[in-house]
Structure formats: structure tokens, C-alpha cells
Amino acid sequence: KNEVEQSPQNLTAQEGEFITINCSYSVGISALHWLQQHPGGGIVSLFMLSSGKKKHGRLIATINIQEKHSSLHITASHPRDSAVYICAALTGTASKLTFGTGTRLQVTL
Amino acid sequence: SQTIHQWPATLVQPVGSPLSLECTVEGTSNPNLYWYRQAAGRGLQLLFYSVGIGQISSEVPQNLSASRPQDRQFILSSKKLLLSDSGFYLCAWSGSLAGHEQFFGPGTRLTVL
């Protein structure tokens, strides 16, 4: 069993839909990263959070430390949101990341 | 502001040839540095990390090695590439204190033929 699990693996949505991607982890963490990987491979850090909720534009990330669960929400989805979304658990004094397998999101018109 | 560079962007190498990928960070000092690999259809995997010059920790046994000759330079090497070394290699940096966010370079796509 992976230490970081994501669901769903693949997600197709129509433009404007509200999207939720879930992440569960079994390791002790200092924080959780949400990352976005575009088709070319480049990775952008969307959020790093260790408690509560963060919001940036149409993106919202929440984390429940007791339940070891985090969610990434996209409101009013748009085709440009199409990408792979990856959650990663930050652990240890060297801030090592353990990655989920990613969620491939396709937003259509 | 901090920036991270990787080169080359793409590389095609024959099996058995050597490899050297370079990563440099600007605008910060004493960063933690990381090498990750993403094999085709697979998730990201931590290969090496470094908390200081000359200090390298390996996460998985493999055909690769890493070195940190300068504070903001991280090099990934191999003496003889295998087909299984193909993948997308990402370098990242974070602040030296625990719990710091990581920032990723643009990546190198390596194809071993």
C-alpha cells in the first residue's frame, strides 16, 4: 500500500464544474504539497499546507490532520486547468517528499 | 528572487554511455537539494537529496549517483546508462529548515536507446 493515495486517478469534467481531488496519507507529515504537472512535464507548487484551508483564485486546498486527509477543489473549472494534480507528503528534517500517483484532470468545453 | 535551472532539457543517449545532468539554484544559500525521477506512466520518486556540500543521501539503490560540488550545484551522474534509466528527471530545492516548501526545476527528459 502506498503511503500517499490519491483519488480519482482520472477525472473528466465539463467547463464550469466543481472538481474535488482527494489525498490520504499514512505517514507522519510536517506539511502536504499540492502540485500541478502540465503535459510538458514541468511541475508547479500550488499549495503547501499543514492545517486548515488555503485559497488561491479558483483553487482551494484543505487538510484534516487527525484524519490524514487532504482535498483540492477547483471551482468553475476551465480547460486550462487540464493537468495532472499530485499530492505529496513532506516528511523529516530534510523535507523529503513522498508522492501520490497523481490525478489526471481533463476539462472539456 | 530564487530560480532553479536544469540542463539539458532533453537528452537521447545510447545504452552504456555516461550521463551528467546539472542543476543550479540562484538567489538562496545553503538550500536542500533533491533529484527526482518520473518513469513513463509512473509517479515521482525521490532519488537523492543533499542538505549541504558533499552530503548526499540516496533513497533507492540504482545505477545513478549524485554530487554536490558547490552550495547551489547538484549533479546527477551515471557511468553506464541502462534502458530503465529513461524518464523525466526533476531537480528541486527547499529552504534548509524542516517543513519548507519545495520548488522544482523545468526537468530533463532522458531517453536511453
Side-chain angles (χ1 to χ4, degrees):
Chain A
K1 187 178 188 298
N2 291 334
E3 293 177 319
V4 181
E5 299 271 1
Q6 275 184 250
S7 63
Q9 285 190 319
N10 294 283
L11 184 55
T12 301
Q14 284 198 316
E15 184 178 12
E17 285 186 13
F18 181 84
I19 288 163
T20 296
I21 299 170
N22 295 300
C23 176
S24 297
Y25 54 92
S26 57
V27 294
I29 68 168
S30 54
L32 191 96
H33 260 287
W34 279 102
L35 307 168
Q36 182 189 55
Q37 185 172 31
H38 281 282
I43 287 182
V44 174
S45 176
L46 299 174
F47 296 103
M48 190 180 79
L49 66 166
S50 54
S51 65
K53 176 179 172 178
K54 285 191 176 181
K55 184 176 189 294
H56 184 251
R58 295 179 294 106
L59 301 178
I60 303 166
T62 63
I63 189 167
N64 184 318
I65 296 294
Q66 287 74 29
E67 295 185 4
K68 295 190 174 181
H69 181 269
S70 177
S71 294
L72 177 70
H73 306 285
I74 304 175
T75 61
S77 59
H78 190 276
R80 66 174 174 267
D81 297 326
S82 298
V84 175
Y85 292 84
I86 303 167
C87 71
L90 193 70
T91 61
T93 55
S95 298
K96 295 188 290 181
L97 287 175
T98 303
F99 297 88
T101 51
T103 295
R104 186 173 299 276
L105 171 65
Q106 182 73 36
V107 182
T108 58
L109 293 170
Chain B
S1 65
Q2 301 87 4
T3 54
I4 178 168
H5 304 278
Q6 279 186 252
W7 63 91
T10 60
L11 191 58
V12 180
Q13 292 285 99
V15 168
S17 64
L19 173 74
S20 181
L21 303 181
E22 189 162 343
C23 170
T24 59
V25 182
E26 296 176 357
T28 187
S29 59
N30 195 32
N32 289 347
L33 296 171
Y34 310 85
W35 277 112
Y36 297 97
R37 177 171 64 199
Q38 187 176 41
R42 306 284 298 275
L44 283 154
Q45 182 183 38
L46 176 64
L47 301 177
F48 300 96
Y49 69 93
S50 171
V51 299
I53 295 173
Q55 299 178 61
I56 309 294
S57 296
S58 174
E59 285 295 294
V60 291
Q62 60 210 315
N63 184 42
L64 302 168
S65 62
S67 62
R68 184 171 177 174
Q70 299 180 48
D71 182 44
R72 289 168 289 176
Q73 184 185 30
F74 205 22
I75 297 171
L76 185 70
S77 304
S78 174
K79 292 181 180 177
K80 288 186 177 182
L81 283 169
L82 306 172
L83 287 173
S84 57
D85 293 323
S86 294
F88 188 60
Y89 289 81
L90 284 154
C91 180
W93 75 273
S94 73
S96 55
L97 296 177
H100 273 216
E101 186 174 4
Q102 286 192 27
F103 301 93
F104 291 82
T108 295
R109 191 163 301 282
L110 171 66
T111 303
V112 183
L113 300 174

